[in-house]
Structure formats: C-alpha cells, structure tokens
Amino acid sequence: MSVDGWNTVLVLGGIRSGKSEFAESLVADAPMVRYVATAPEGDPEDTEWATRLATHRARRPGSWTTEETAGEPRRLADVLASAEPTETLLVDDLGGWVTVLLDPEHQPADDVATIAELAEAIRGCAARVVLVSPEVGLSLVPTTPLGRAFTDALGAANRAVADACDAVVLVVAGQPAWLKPTTAPASTPSTPVTATGRHAVAADQAAPGRSAAVSLGDAEPTPEVQLPEVLTHTPPVAPNQEPGDPWAAPTMALPMVATGLVIQPGMELPMPDEYAGPQAVDRLATLDVPGAGLGVLDRVVGFAAATQGTSTPSAWGSVRVLLLNGDHTGGASAGTVAGESARRAAQARAGRGALARLAAEAGASLQVVDTPAAAPIETEPALAGEQVESALRYGWRLAEQAADAGVQLLVLGACGAGTEAAAAAVLAATAGAEPPAVLGRVITDSGEIDDAAWMVRCAAVRDALHRTRRSPRSAKDVLAELGGGDVAVATGVLLGATARRVPVLLDGPVGLAAGMISRDLAGQARHWCLLADHGQHPAVRLAADVLGLEPLLDLRLDLGEGANALVALPMLRSVLALAAALPVHPSLGGDADPDGTDEPAPDYTDDEPAYPGPDDTDPEFVEPEPAGPGPTRTGADEQAASGWRAG
C-alpha cells in the first residue's frame, strides 16, 4: 500500500472522477486483496448498470477475492472487525452500501446507529483498509424525499468514516487532493522493534492496527505475535544524483513509474568488494592461532569481508528471518497434510516451534510472510503475470524494510506445501535438470517413505514442463508458469537485498530456486548469497552447484527451511568474531604482549628445581582428606602413611 504510516484511507470523488481506479492503485502492491462489494446487482434490464459492474470486475487482478455484503448492510462492520492484520481490504463503495441500507427490505432500521457501528469497526480494524465513497455534498439539494434521504444518509456516513480513517483523499478529474492530512503522505518504512523479556508491540511507533516485528530473544511466546506489513518505499535521491537519472543511487534503487518498481532483466546491481574478501582470507594466515586455522570456514570470513567492504569484518549483529508461507496446489503438494503449512506459520508467529526457538537462541527477529497460493502447475500457470510483478515488488520491499531497520543478515526460508516440486520445476526449466533427479523422497509424519506421493509429484512436474514446452523461459515467465508466489517473493527479496548490500543466508529449495531465477534478472545477486548446509535436498545440491555456492557444512539437517541455517549461524558468528579479535602472530611482526601488560614472564632457568625432589628440604607433605565418601582408613593404613612420611 503506497500510503505509508496510515492504516485506513477514505477515497472520495464524484461520478466518473477516477476514485475507484485511484483506490485500486493504493493496494496494487499488496500480494492479496479482499474486495468487498457493497452494491446490489440492480435491475436485470438495466444494461448500463450491468456494464459498470462488469468493468469493475474486469479491473480486479486474479489474485483478489471478492466478498458481497449487499444482502445485509450491517455485515460490513462485522467484515472489518474480523479482518486479520495481514489482510488488505478494498470496500467499494459506501454509496451502494447506503442504498441497500435505505432499501425498504431493511427497514425499519436505525441508520444512525448502523453508520456509527461502521465507523467504530473502522477504528478498531487491524487490517489495511481502503474505502471508496461518492461525494454528493457539492451538488444541489435533491427535489424528492428519497433523494434527500440518500444524500443525508451518505453525507452522515462520509463524515463518520472520514473521522475514523487515518487519511482522506478527494479525487477530482482523476487528480487526488489530500484532505487528511493536508499533504500527500511521505514514504516512511516501518521499523521493527526488538522486544526484551516478553514479545512486545511498539504501539507508540506503529500505526493503528499495525504492530512491529519482534525479536524472539529468550522471551516466553505469547499466543499471537503480529508482524509488520510491508509498505511502498520511495528510494531517496542521492546527494550527487541527477533527478532524471534513476539508476545513479548508491544502492542502485530501481526506477519508479506510476505502477511502482520496475524489475526487469539485465539490472546492474552492486557487487561485493572484490579486494576485501581475498585480503581478509590472506590475513587469516597471519593470525596467532595454535593450529592450522579455520579450514573451510575461512570462506565465511571472505564472504563477510566482501559484503561489508573491509578486510576485518565483524560478526553479524542484527539478523532477520523471513519465513515465506505459500502453498502449491495440485500434484506438487502430494503427500502433505492439509493445513500443515498454515499450522507451521501460525506456530512461528506465536514464537513456538523449532524455527522460533532457534531464532530466539540466535537473537534474530522472525517475520512470517504470506504469499499467493500457486495453482496446479500441471494444468495451468502457477500465477498470473500481474501477480508475479506484485510478488517481486513485495519481496524487494521486504528487503528494503530490513535494510532500513539496520538488519545486517537475512535468513530466507519457506514452509508452504509443494515447495520441493515447484523448485524442481524451476530447476528443470532453468538448468535442464531431470525432475526425478532433483525431487527428494517424500517423508510422512510417521517417518515413512511415501513413494506413491513422490511419483505424483514427479508426474506433476513432468506434465507442467510438457504444458510449457513452447513457452518462453525468461525469468518472469518461469515464475508465472512454474514458480509460484513464494519463489517470486523470494526472488524479489534477493534482488532487493542485493540493491541494499544486505547478505542473504539461503536455506532450502525455495531460496535456491529464487537464486536461479534472479540470475536472469541481475547476475550480481548470487554473490550476496551464502549457503550454510544443503540439508540433503537434491534440488539444493544442483542449484548450489550451478550458482557456485558451495555449502559450508555437511550436517545433513532437515529441520525445515530457515531452521537449518539458524543452527549454523552461531558457529559462523563465532568464526567472524574470532577472526576479528585475534592478533597477528609475533613471528610475523605482531605484538608479543597483546594484552599490554608489563609483567615479566616467569623465569624457569634458576638452579632451584621446579618441583621438590626426594632429597630437597621442603614442608611436610600432608595427604589431603577425600572430598567425598570413600573407603574407611584402618589402623594399618595410618601406620603405613606415617612410615612413608617418616621415610
């Protein structure tokens, strides 16, 4: 939503003023929108009205869902009150709602009380809401009692709703004029707040209905933790940037057009420092360590040095885990338990489960991101083209939001059903892999191998590749036909993180599939990615080989995407902290006394022996009493001990 800092917006306008199109543009970047239609169907003979309704329906993207409230106007308040914080609602419009409210079928009714209930529901609504309403206060007073009743009721509704909303805009001839606030809102990405002790919501920093990201720490989980929504971010103009040169920003922010970010093949995004990495690895050979060094983990130091632009990189302090939750329907999800992915996502939001506990141990914040569900790829495209564009921009802004919050490392994971099959399809399309070779075995909840489900997944990927055999293999085409919402959002995250110079720790098939897609959009993205472990996934092994990402570890963990990386994160941090703190070996010019003390070293060269011998005069040796229970000493033992001391 491109109105940052406000949760509810009222869009007013006259007939054919463009108010509906403007309202739709405010929610264009949301991955999923619930469209609340309030107008009745009308007279079947009224073809002009039917054409208007058809035009409105045709403009809605395929990812939007529609809910009708024309049958009961009081239900609109219930819809708003029950909306979840992760939802985006577009109510179009209040004129139709008032028409139904005044209908004789719904009388007698207290119209004033119903309008007050609606305003109260808007104030307490946790979702992002855009409401559309016709402005009739500028016209003449109607000459009929029914017309006057309609304008009076709609005027009262507009006043009550405008008072309840965070922002109000009047659209005249397609041009928006902001009434509340008096200037167009500026983009201010939300900053996640780290909670200590217990999960806390920063009510003083978050807009009404929106809560902040939480750091899990070692806090006790609460029943529900709401995470921040992603808002449209307008890239700042660099000090030396020409206004007409959108590619000159230091972070290589994408150009903006009326529809939002432009993500296209061949983007020139920044590369890590090509000198800092080798210099950091060379420096490791000079450190004062007793053994041979860090082994293969020296690549962690080289990666961190290149991405931080220094030969002495520091350990990642602020880490954010992005858990993408989006299911793949059809044969791709064969063998999965219905509702399992939603349960895992809810578990993570509540601060429970393996991922949340590992994030708590690592001091990382955890953000669960819902992505559009993918259609069965064996019969139809996974996503529409508009959904792909929206998902890419959404992922980009997730990375921007993290960078603005000071996050130094992103961990990318997914928990949707059918992700392995979707990743296999992407690999088959981009790297020529055979689906059976990159599809892992299907393991049931009881730990058994489900070969039948594995064959169904293979068949789904095979049929999808056959269906798309004549389709283009460009990045966006592969995402639309085979990838799905989670892979598309993950691709946007990689691109946005690259633009903002934030490294990404990959874990699982979705992240690696996104890495394959991002190659064709910006080849620099893979250089900002690190792979801790392959997790025994054949798709991850192949994609890592193609991308040149050699796993640092071979722990063969399978704790779920994101959790495997968090297991390795403390080790990686320790390696970076050690490399930054150790001094250079004294033989190579390092300080022989790195602690800076002036005390002389112990002298063991005198004539006095280090330990007294049998002929030395020394204090009588007294055998200590045992610290715990032991055998009872007899008189003979005491006599023997005395004899030994005397001798």
Side-chain angles (χ1 to χ4, degrees), residues 385-411:
E386 296 81 4
Q387 289 178 291
V388 171
E389 296 286 352
S390 178
L392 286 171
R393 292 194 297 266
Y394 188 66
W396 181 288
R397 291 185 179 107
L398 281 168
E400 280 195 325
Q401 187 187 53
D404 292 335
V407 171
Q408 298 171 347
L409 177 70
L410 283 172
V411 179

Side-chain angles (χ1 to χ4, degrees), residues 66-337:
T66 303
E67 186 164 353
E68 305 277 351
T69 63
E72 177 51 58
R74 295 177 63 91
R75 199 168 71 84
L76 178 58
D78 296 334
V79 170
L80 295 174
S82 61
E84 297 292 333
T86 56
E87 291 187 280
T88 300
L89 275 64
L90 174 58
V91 181
D92 196 355
D93 69 2
L94 295 183
W97 179 76
V98 169
T99 300
V100 177
L101 183 64
L102 299 179
D103 192 283
E105 291 184 7
H106 302 288
Q107 297 295 329
D110 189 349
D111 304 335
V112 175
T114 304
I115 292 173
E117 289 176 3
L118 176 62
E120 192 62 30
I122 294 172
R123 287 190 180 93
C125 184
R128 297 183 296 165
V129 183
V130 176
L131 303 103
V132 182
S133 185
E135 175 53 57
V136 294
L138 302 178
S139 61
L140 298 175
V141 177
T143 58
T144 62
L146 183 59
R148 289 193 293 271
F150 174 79
T151 54
D152 290 346
L154 183 57
N158 285 346
R159 290 181 62 181
V161 172
D163 183 68
C165 285
D166 302 320
V168 181
V169 59
L170 175 65
V171 180
V172 180
Q175 306 302 310
W178 291 93
L179 308 179
K180 177 187 177 182
T182 55
T183 57
S187 297
T188 53
S190 60
T191 301
V193 178
T194 300
T196 58
R198 294 184 59 86
H199 294 314
V201 175
D204 57 335
Q205 295 186 12
R210 179 183 303 119
S211 54
V214 295
S215 175
L216 296 174
D218 27 24
E220 306 241 343
T222 55
E224 182 69 21
V225 178
Q226 302 298 341
L227 296 163
E229 294 295 323
V230 175
L231 306 178
T232 299
H233 174 72
T234 303
V237 178
N240 299 325
Q241 178 183 349
E242 295 296 330
D245 182 14
W247 293 95
T251 59
M252 303 303 292
L254 291 178
M256 303 289 292
V257 295
T259 56
L261 289 169
V262 178
I263 297 179
Q264 54 195 0
M267 294 184 294
E268 288 295 332
L269 299 183
M271 282 284 289
D273 192 317
E274 62 178 319
Y275 300 108
Q279 288 172 358
V281 174
D282 292 341
R283 178 179 172 274
L284 293 178
T286 68
L287 298 183
D288 187 7
V289 294
L294 298 174
V296 298
L297 292 180
D298 61 359
R299 288 189 278 119
V300 179
V301 180
F303 174 82
T307 53
Q308 295 178 23
T310 174
S311 60
T312 55
S314 58
W316 300 297
S318 177
V319 178
R320 177 173 296 183
V321 183
L322 295 179
L323 182 65
L324 308 182
N325 175 36
D327 289 342
H328 298 259
T329 57
S333 60
T336 58
V337 179

Side-chain angles (χ1 to χ4, degrees), residues 357-377:
R357 291 184 180 276
L358 288 169
E361 291 293 332
S365 61
L366 173 60
Q367 183 172 356
V368 182
V369 181
D370 293 320
T371 63
I377 58 175

